[in-house]
Amino acid sequence: MKKFLTITVLVIVLALGIFTWWRYFRAFGGGTKAGELNYMVYKGYVFKTYEGELIQQGFKGGTPGNIQSNEFLFSVQKESVAEQLMKNTGKTFILHYEEYLGTLPWRGNTKFIVDSIWSMK
C-alpha cells in the first residue's frame, strides 16, 4: 500500500509539473507585429513589469457596423528592449514576440512577450 501511494503521489507531482511547464513556460507561438507604439509603461505593486500597446494599421470590426482600431497589447521582460521602446514612443516598430498560454505576474500582464525589436522608423 505504501509503494502504491508513493507512486501515485510521484505521478501527480510529475503531471502537475508538466502541466505548469506546458501552460506557463513553453512558448505556444510567436511572430512579428508592426505598428505605431502608442505607449510603454513600467507598472505594478509587487511585480514591476513593462507593458505596452502597439497600434497596427487598418481596422477590424468585431461586429458588423462596428469599427475599432487594431491594438496589440504586450509585455516586455528585457529592460534594454523596454528602455529603447520608452525612448521612441510614437515611432513605427516591427516587434518580435512570443505567445504563451498563460500569464505569470513577474513576466507581465499579457500572454504576448516582446523579446526584440526588428525595425524602427
Side-chain angles (χ1 to χ4, degrees), residues 2 9 13 21 27 44 46 79 84-85 87 89 99 108 120:
K2 188 175 180 181
V9 168
V13 168
W21 171 79
V46 177
E79 189 174 344
Q84 189 173 3
L85 290 169
K87 291 177 183 176
T89 301
E99 181 181 358
M120 177 180 67

Side-chain angles (χ1 to χ4, degrees), residues 43-61:
K43 64 180 184 177
Y45 292 111
V46 177
F47 298 105
K48 297 287 192 182
T49 60
Y50 294 99
E51 308 296 328
E53 178 181 18
L54 192 74
I55 305 296
Q56 300 174 16
Q57 293 180 352
F59 295 95
K60 70 176 184 178

Side-chain angles (χ1 to χ4, degrees), residues 41-44 47-51 75-76 105-109:
V41 295
Y42 182 61
K43 64 180 184 177
F47 298 105
K48 297 287 192 182
T49 60
Y50 294 99
E51 308 296 328
S75 302
V76 179
W106 55 87
R107 189 167 58 198
N109 295 333

Side-chain angles (χ1 to χ4, degrees), residues 5-18:
L5 186 60
T6 303
I7 291 172
T8 303
V9 168
L10 287 174
V11 167
I12 290 172
V13 168
L14 182 64
L16 285 174
I18 290 171

